[in-house]
Amino acid sequence: MSTLTLVIGNKTYSSWSLRPWLLLRHLGVEFQEIPVPLHAPDAAAQIARYSPSGRVPVLLDGDRVIWESLAIGEYLADRYPEVWPTEAHRRALARSAASEMHAGFTALREELPFNCRSRRSGVVPSLAAQAEIKRVVALWATCRSTISSEEGPWLFGRFSCTDAMFAPVALRFYTYGVALSEEAEAYIDTIRQDVHVQDWIQAARKETAVIPGEERGESVDAV
Ligand SMILES: N[C@@H](CCC(=O)N[C@@H](CS)C(=O)NCC(=O)O)C(=O)O
């Protein structure tokens, strides 16, 4: 691999960008970032310079272009097997959980938009979103049931791509004060206290671009 470059959106708002960024950080891989402000008038043109799908994140590795957060995870796994758990049964579950996250949870994502520097109250998830929240918590518990707590605080003990995929979901639960099981709350704490997640949030706090109306009346900087 040559020097990697990750094209990302605003750290405040771009949950998809956080996923491969966090994975790269946990792998200890050096990479450059190209930030694209997603709500700038020329955002589409800026993204199109790098992304065949018109979306971020995009990983650039020499003349290779890899888009879609999960595909970026798989690309990195070719080089860094620790992207997934070592044991085959855990790896299968880790991939299934990550794929389910990547493909679904649309009500949750629409109703609880990502804003990692904000806390909000009064958002009542629809029944569809509540069912998805329940499913996320069940998935986390299933992943954790394959390990002993001594193996570490992440879904499979040590950090994997599945944690990267769910990190923005955990931050959303915190932002919106979603009441969860003790086990799920402990996992959210693990995500929030992660040094790389902290770096991401600190950088988000310094961003000045704001989606119009998005942060009206909110306790920005409370995270
Ligand atoms: N399935 C894609 C989702 C990427 C995505 O929706 N990215 C958003 C930013 S978080 C985006 O690029 N939005 C710009 C647009 O749709 O114009 C992935 O996993 O990478």
Side-chain angles (χ1 to χ4, degrees):
M1 278 188 197
S2 49
T3 305
L4 296 174
T5 301
L6 189 66
V7 185
I8 57 173
N10 313 50
K11 287 183 171 161
T12 305
Y13 306 119
S14 185
S15 62
W16 291 110
S17 299
L18 171 56
R19 293 173 167 101
W21 184 94
L22 190 57
L23 184 57
L24 283 162
R25 277 292 197 95
H26 271 267
L27 291 170
V29 178
E30 268 193 42
F31 65 102
Q32 291 167 357
E33 292 174 32
I34 298 182
V36 177
L38 292 178
H39 304 281
D42 65 341
Q46 283 198 59
I47 295 173
R49 287 176 59 199
Y50 309 103
S51 173
S53 68
R55 296 188 165 205
V56 290
V58 178
L59 183 70
L60 310 175
D61 182 12
D63 58 3
R64 292 183 192 163
V65 179
I66 305 101
W67 66 98
E68 289 289 328
S69 51
L70 194 51
I72 295 171
E74 291 293 6
Y75 182 76
L76 294 170
D78 279 349
R79 171 85 174 231
Y80 306 99
E82 64 268 36
V83 162
W84 297 111
T86 313
E87 306 76 9
H89 69 287
R90 289 181 183 169
R91 202 162 56 244
L93 176 58
R95 281 196 160 111
S96 295
S99 298
E100 187 175 336
M101 195 289 113
H102 189 244
F105 301 110
T106 46
L108 167 56
R109 290 197 273 114
E110 271 166 30
E111 293 175 34
L112 310 182
F114 186 77
N115 183 327
C116 69
R117 61 184 190 187
S118 173
R119 305 269 341 247
R120 292 174 182 175
S121 55
V123 177
V124 181
S126 66
L127 289 179
Q130 283 178 40
E132 289 180 0
I133 291 167
K134 214 170 147 195
R135 174 65 189 147
V136 168
V137 171
L139 257 179
W140 290 353
T142 304
C143 296
R144 295 278 305 162
S145 73
T146 66
I147 58 162
S148 67
S149 55
E150 293 81 59
E151 289 181 75
W154 300 100
L155 292 175
F156 294 94
R158 64 168 179 75
F159 188 91
S160 75
C161 187
T162 312
D163 297 291
M165 294 306 290
F166 279 103
V169 179
L171 292 180
R172 277 178 156 100
F173 288 167
Y174 180 75
T175 294
Y176 292 89
V178 177
L180 300 168
S181 66
E182 207 174 302
E183 196 187 14
E185 297 281 4
Y187 180 60
I188 290 170
D189 281 350
T190 297
I191 302 268
R192 288 189 54 239
Q193 284 159 21
D194 179 65
V195 61
H196 306 300
V197 170
Q198 286 294 323
D199 280 356
W200 177 276
I201 294 170
Q202 290 304 331
R205 284 179 177 157
K206 292 188 188 133
E207 288 177 341
T208 51
V210 169
I211 301 178
E214 173 66 8
E215 294 186 8
R216 204 175 33 221
E218 291 164 13
S219 56
V220 176
D221 287 342
V223 176

